[in-house]
Amino acid sequence: MTDEEDAPSVALGAGREFDAIRSMLRVWGPRAHGIGDDAAVIDVPAGDRLVASTDASVEGVHFRRDWLAPREIGARAAAAALSDLAAMAAAPLGMLLALGVSPGWRDELDELARGVGEAAERAGCPILGGNVSAAAELSLTLTALGSTPRPLGRNGLRAGDVLYVTGALGGPGAALGALRAGGTPRALHRARFAAPAPRIAEARWLADAGARAGIDVSDGVVADAGHLAAASGVHIVLEPAALPCIEGATPELAATSGEEYELLVGFSSRALPDVRAFERRFGIALTAVGRASEGSGVVVERDGARVDPLPGHDHLS
Amino acid sequence: MTDEEDAPSVALGAGREFDAIRSMLRVWGPRAHGIGDDAAVIDVPAGDRLVASTDASVEGVHFRRDWLAPREIGARAAAAALSDLAAMAAAPLGMLLALGVSPGWRDELDELARGVGEAAERAGCPILGGNVSAAAELSLTLTALGSTPRPLGRNGLRAGDVLYVTGALGGPGAALGALRAGGTPRALHRARFAAPAPRIAEARWLADAGARAGIDVSDGVVADAGHLAAASGVHIVLEPAALPCIEGATPELAATSGEEYELLVGFSSRALPDVRAFERRFGIALTAVGRASEGSGVVVERDGARVDPLPGHDHLS
């Protein structure tokens, strides 16, 4: 392993697996480095803790081939993994890609790799290694490695804290609804579905501003608020009327739309973030959407009345 | 995230995916910790470099359900990933497991988890996180994280270096041969196939003894010598007559048998390792099997005559 070695010059042995890897390395160019050993070698900044997450995107479960271009599938899978680093307010160190390749996808590996590489580059995250295997269906399992001196967990919410969400919700849900109905999503919604942006810089800003707990919105903001509530041992009230909705989405859709990769973070009511400074800096909204109190679980209040929490989506079904 | 939190007390949200995770956490007990955030948090020892590798085991590609018990499938997948840490002479820090679960495997998740947990425990490696997804076939993608001040790469071999291999080769190949022919492997061979042991402590001993390059034997010792030769820019001569063969295996089988997870390491001829000390310490052989010289590629010499390198196996086929 030589960390500064450029990908195209990596020496690998013979075999079709290695041909596929060589081709992807050509696509990645300098975005990939250090590949060619049994494992990647990474230097974690002194004083930082390592943050690591693995996330799978499986054809037919997380995406459908007729809905997304191969490049988008690659970028989306990488964005989803990188979003776990954002949820912890960590700076990316590198990614590992395990590809399961079915016969019908062999000719698309370079385009998948291009998408992964573009998402990695946008996040400033090098690609440090991976694995290619035959499989019955396409899957991309991305492991994202990052670091920070103070990881932002799910368990730091306290009664009285105020919850904020970044961006505008509902786009991926609206796009999925249109696609499932055989229609064509609005471009605005499709972009949120096909090319999500992990909120890495935003997360670090929010952590520096004093966020006490955070999660990325992958299961839907109500379901993810439930994860925060469970981990922190608090009750959360969300106000759908307050949810920032993308143009064309209802509050109901914004409440359940998954794979948003926006952030849901909590602040002490005595140290709220400077919303206008955030919005000026990142060009997306930061909106107070609820509050934590003593107790457990999440309730959604609509017109002052409690309604049952709306379900998020469940991948194992 | 609280690092010392025992797995069974982890608070997770609702949903079947989480039920599956909860059940696996019960199986793992204290071997899993820190699970329940978007990412695991790991402390890398000061002065160490992080070593990371991801490795997939896919049903029908890396194993067949009728050949192995679910517990063995789990243990073998974890051992394969941990072996990449051994190849780099790194000490394990933790593992992440991404499970792709087809409907026919839902009832076996606890047994798969038990196998992963047992292999992790033998290696002293906690389980720090993961991902569960529906899939068309069972797959286990393990990301192994470790650290060492001086990772052992593939590119450190120099002309004149002597190559050593740990253990006795041929068992997995012999077992696979018997299974593919519809027969029953000898217990000795089956154990090497079904329950491989990543050579983590052995690797650290060899690195401390001055090993200059290393790789684990996953594609077959000839093919893996080819990876060392390519990465180091040297020519390697292997002597099949010198290969340590497991009882009942021919040198030809020992040369091509993959998924051995033994180590192939190179030492300067001026600083050879104390073979007897190694064998006393670990109870397995350390055998000189070849030599590096100027040039490229691998040749196998049989009875003094060069024969073509034997092929290893190619997963993407």
Side-chain angles (χ1 to χ4, degrees):
Chain A
M1 163 91 39
T2 57
D3 273 351
E4 300 311 314
E5 189 170 50
D6 278 356
S9 67
V10 168
L12 290 168
R16 208 144 45 134
E17 182 179 340
F18 298 113
D19 290 340
I21 295 170
R22 273 195 205 92
S23 180
M24 289 192 286
L25 290 175
R26 273 193 297 272
V27 168
W28 287 330
R31 288 173 290 199
H33 56 78
I35 293 175
D37 260 311
D38 289 280
V41 178
I42 302 142
D43 290 312
V44 178
D48 270 16
R49 307 185 74 190
L50 175 67
V51 171
S53 178
T54 193
D55 195 75
S57 292
V58 180
E59 183 177 6
V61 179
H62 300 93
F63 61 86
R64 278 175 49 177
R65 188 172 189 164
D66 49 340
W67 290 352
L68 292 167
R71 193 164 169 171
E72 291 171 330
I73 290 168
R76 195 164 171 272
L82 289 162
S83 184
D84 283 330
L85 298 184
M88 307 290 288
L93 291 172
M95 284 202 305
L96 305 168
L97 168 63
L99 263 180
V101 183
S102 54
W105 281 93
R106 284 207 187 151
D107 293 339
E108 306 293 347
L109 295 190
D110 284 1
E111 279 300 291
L112 290 165
R114 195 178 312 280
V116 171
E118 286 166 355
E121 185 165 27
R122 280 192 292 270
C125 184
I127 298 163
L128 299 175
N131 185 89
V132 178
S133 171
E137 74 211 325
L138 182 70
S139 69
L140 299 90
T141 303
L142 274 299
T143 300
L145 303 170
S147 76
T148 171
R150 291 176 308 281
L152 189 63
R154 295 181 178 183
N155 64 358
L157 270 193
R158 297 293 170 259
D161 284 2
V162 180
L163 286 150
Y164 290 80
V165 73
T166 60
L169 304 174
L176 262 178
L179 289 166
R180 284 193 174 128
T184 302
R186 290 174 60 167
L188 181 69
H189 298 163
R190 189 182 185 286
R192 289 281 308 149
F193 172 70
R199 300 301 189 191
I200 287 172
E202 292 85 346
R204 308 196 77 199
W205 188 99
L206 292 164
D208 288 345
R212 310 221 277 190
I215 191 168
D216 64 330
V217 179
S218 53
D219 295 340
V221 71
V222 173
D224 290 311
H227 303 326
L228 280 185
S232 292
V234 297
H235 175 70
I236 291 176
V237 176
L238 287 182
E239 297 152 30
L243 286 180
C245 300
I246 200 165
E247 197 189 318
T250 62
E252 286 70 23
L253 188 61
T256 55
S257 172
E259 292 161 347
E260 293 276 349
Y261 306 117
E262 296 296 349
L263 299 171
L264 178 66
V265 292
F267 283 83
S268 163
S269 61
R270 290 184 301 278
L272 297 178
D274 182 341
V275 166
R276 295 195 57 187
F278 177 93
E279 295 180 348
R280 263 198 314 274
R281 169 79 176 274
F282 297 109
I284 59 172
L286 180 66
T287 311
V289 294
R291 188 175 282 269
S293 58
E294 303 287 344
S296 65
V298 176
V299 296
V300 180
E301 285 189 357
R302 195 178 292 134
D303 302 327
R306 295 189 170 194
V307 297
D308 282 336
L310 305 163
H313 62 239
D314 176 0
H315 292 309
L316 194 64
S317 57
Chain B
M1 161 92 41
T2 57
D3 273 352
E4 300 310 314
E5 188 168 49
D6 277 357
S9 67
V10 167
L12 289 168
R16 210 144 42 133
E17 180 179 342
F18 298 113
D19 291 338
I21 294 170
R22 272 194 206 92
S23 181
M24 289 193 286
L25 289 174
R26 274 193 297 273
V27 168
W28 288 329
R31 289 173 289 198
H33 56 76
I35 292 175
D37 260 312
D38 289 282
V41 177
I42 302 142
D43 290 312
V44 178
D48 270 17
R49 307 185 75 190
L50 174 67
V51 171
S53 177
T54 194
D55 195 74
S57 292
V58 180
E59 184 178 5
V61 178
H62 300 94
F63 61 86
R64 277 175 49 177
R65 189 171 188 163
D66 50 339
W67 291 352
L68 291 167
R71 194 165 171 172
E72 291 172 328
I73 290 167
R76 195 164 172 271
L82 289 163
S83 184
D84 283 330
L85 297 183
M88 306 292 286
L93 291 173
M95 284 203 303
L96 305 169
L97 168 63
L99 262 179
V101 183
S102 53
W105 280 94
R106 285 207 186 151
D107 293 338
E108 306 293 346
L109 295 190
D110 284 1
E111 278 301 292
L112 290 165
R114 197 178 311 280
V116 170
E118 287 167 354
E121 184 165 28
R122 280 192 293 273
C125 184
I127 298 163
L128 299 175
N131 185 89
V132 178
S133 172
E137 74 210 327
L138 182 71
S139 68
L140 299 90
T141 302
L142 273 299
T143 299
L145 302 171
S147 76
T148 171
R150 291 176 308 281
L152 189 63
R154 295 181 178 183
N155 65 358
L157 270 193
R158 297 293 170 259
D161 284 3
V162 180
L163 286 150
Y164 290 81
V165 74
T166 60
L169 304 175
L176 262 178
L179 289 165
R180 284 191 174 129
T184 303
R186 289 174 60 167
L188 181 70
H189 298 163
R190 190 182 185 286
R192 290 280 307 149
F193 172 70
R199 301 301 189 189
I200 287 172
E202 292 85 346
R204 307 197 79 200
W205 189 100
L206 292 164
D208 288 344
R212 310 220 278 190
I215 192 169
D216 64 330
V217 179
S218 54
D219 295 340
V221 70
V222 172
D224 290 310
H227 302 326
L228 280 184
S232 292
V234 297
H235 175 69
I236 291 177
V237 177
L238 286 182
E239 297 152 29
L243 287 180
C245 300
I246 201 166
E247 196 189 317
T250 61
E252 286 70 23
L253 189 61
T256 55
S257 172
E259 292 160 347
E260 293 276 351
Y261 306 118
E262 296 295 347
L263 300 171
L264 178 66
V265 292
F267 284 84
S268 163
S269 61
R270 291 184 300 279
L272 296 178
D274 182 342
V275 167
R276 294 195 57 189
F278 178 93
E279 294 180 347
R280 263 198 314 274
R281 170 79 176 275
F282 297 108
I284 60 172
L286 180 65
T287 311
V289 295
R291 188 174 282 271
S293 58
E294 303 286 343
S296 66
V298 176
V299 296
V300 180
E301 283 189 358
R302 194 178 294 134
D303 303 328
R306 295 189 169 194
V307 297
D308 283 336
L310 305 164
H313 63 240
D314 176 359
H315 292 308
L316 194 65
S317 57

